[in-house]
Amino acid sequence: MDIIIKVEASSDHLGAYAENLEGVTAGGSTVAELKKGILDCIEIQKELGNIEDMEYNLIYQYDTQSFLKYYGKIFTMPALERLTGINQKQLHHYIMGKSTPREQTKKKIETALHSLGEELIAFSL
């Protein structure tokens, strides 16, 4: 069963909840911490009998701010600008929560990063 995990950021913390599985939430200061918390919560909910004891496929959906904040430590602002075509200053505003991108801009970021992922999968060393 596919479970949608919504990930959102605050200034110093990440929070997540299962959109379609009641009682599954977690928080953390890193994505790894957050993901571990989600898995632990699912196991607890199974033990309590609140959810079915089965395998779940977790699909993480980030809000733009939390995604850029996390991956901004991996990609530099100039790299994100080259990939997405979005000005570094504007990307910084999204990361800091000063502005929220329109749906079209979110799609542009997503498409650029998916294209990079497909390119990386297609080569070998």
Side-chain angles (χ1 to χ4, degrees):
M1 176 177 184
D2 287 348
I3 303 301
I4 307 298
I5 306 295
K6 295 285 194 171
V7 179
E8 299 173 347
S10 68
S11 60
D12 63 346
H13 193 75
L14 293 167
Y17 63 92
E19 183 177 78
N20 54 341
L21 191 62
E22 193 172 332
V24 176
T25 62
S29 55
T30 66
V31 170
E33 200 175 283
L34 179 102
K35 287 183 175 183
K36 182 181 181 325
I38 288 289
L39 293 174
D40 291 346
C41 187
I42 288 172
E43 288 307 311
I44 290 167
Q45 292 293 353
K46 285 179 182 179
E47 289 171 12
L48 293 172
N50 294 336
I51 62 173
E52 213 176 312
D53 188 5
M54 61 183 284
E55 290 296 317
Y56 294 99
N57 179 38
L58 304 180
I59 300 168
Y60 289 89
Q61 291 183 346
Y62 293 79
D63 68 344
T64 306
Q65 180 184 13
S66 61
F67 179 84
L68 290 173
K69 188 178 284 189
Y70 176 68
Y71 284 97
K73 296 174 185 167
I74 296 168
F75 296 107
T76 63
M77 283 297 120
L80 282 172
E81 180 179 32
R82 279 190 304 276
L83 283 170
T84 64
I86 299 169
N87 178 297
Q88 292 177 52
K89 186 175 180 179
Q90 190 61 49
L91 290 167
H92 183 71
H93 285 298
Y94 298 152
I95 290 169
M96 300 310 293
K98 293 180 180 177
S99 63
T100 304
R102 294 177 294 181
E103 286 303 315
Q104 179 182 7
T105 305
K106 288 190 233 181
K107 191 67 179 165
K108 186 176 184 180
I109 294 167
E110 184 178 311
T111 300
L113 292 169
H114 284 178
S115 293
L116 174 63
E118 289 170 6
E119 188 176 319
L120 292 173
I121 287 172
F123 83 90
S124 62
L125 298 174

